[in-house]
Amino acid sequence: MTNDLPDGYEISTDPERLDPGLIHRWLSQDAYWALGRAREKQDTAIANSLNFGVYDLASDAQVGYARIVTDRSTFAWLCDVYMAREVRGKGLGTALVGAVRDELAAYGLRRIMLATADAHAVYAKVGFAPLAAPEKWMALGEQ
């Protein structure tokens, strides 16, 4: 997967390459939507999702993450998108979300959803748009 990825980085869906401790630290300590998330919850989420990692080729260190909850038939939820602070602003987030979109295209999904409070421009670059009819959508639980 390349998807306009800056030189020196790679995106992979190989679960063996993920650093679950690092992902948990990023999300539970620095991501407004997951602050305080328990490690066990994060590990379960990783185990039951399609995961994408972004890696620095020079060091093989993980520098980004995204998680997809999907039935691989009709629907997907993009969540837990995170880029390490030291690599933000390089286009890696946009490349990651583009790679997710491209990977999911093979399933012929009807809809890919996400929620964001502050990264609308990143997602818009790869085709996401606000809900056309938000009055049709409902949620149970935390909003």
Side-chain angles (χ1 to χ4, degrees):
M1 290 179 214
T2 56
N3 196 23
D4 299 322
L5 196 61
D7 288 341
Y9 295 93
E10 176 180 44
I11 296 173
S12 173
T13 57
D14 180 355
E16 297 299 316
R17 292 185 71 187
L18 295 173
D19 184 338
L22 178 63
I23 294 166
H24 175 255
R25 188 170 67 248
W26 283 339
L27 297 177
S28 69
Q29 296 178 13
D30 193 40
Y32 67 86
W33 66 90
L35 292 175
R37 183 181 289 169
R39 172 68 191 263
E40 310 79 60
K41 279 222 179 267
Q42 186 62 53
D43 288 348
T44 299
I46 290 170
N48 291 305
S49 300
L50 172 59
N51 301 279
F52 290 72
V54 181
Y55 302 91
D56 181 324
L57 290 173
S59 64
D60 202 38
Q62 186 171 350
V63 297
Y65 177 71
R67 183 168 71 84
I68 307 299
V69 180
T70 184
D71 60 10
R72 291 182 168 95
S73 179
T74 62
F75 181 82
W77 179 264
L78 171 59
C79 52
D80 289 345
V81 178
Y82 186 91
M83 295 307 302
R85 289 189 174 275
E86 63 270 15
V87 298
R88 290 180 188 174
K90 296 182 177 189
L92 292 169
T94 301
L96 173 58
V97 175
V100 167
R101 177 203 57 208
D102 295 349
E103 178 84 8
L104 294 177
Y107 299 124
L109 303 174
R110 181 175 181 192
R111 182 174 291 115
I112 302 169
M113 301 290 298
L114 64 86
T116 184
D118 60 357
H120 296 79
V122 171
Y123 298 106
K125 288 177 186 176
V126 297
F128 282 87
L131 292 173
E135 68 279 3
K136 291 182 179 181
W137 294 89
M138 296 178 72
L140 177 64
E142 193 175 318
Q143 294 186 43

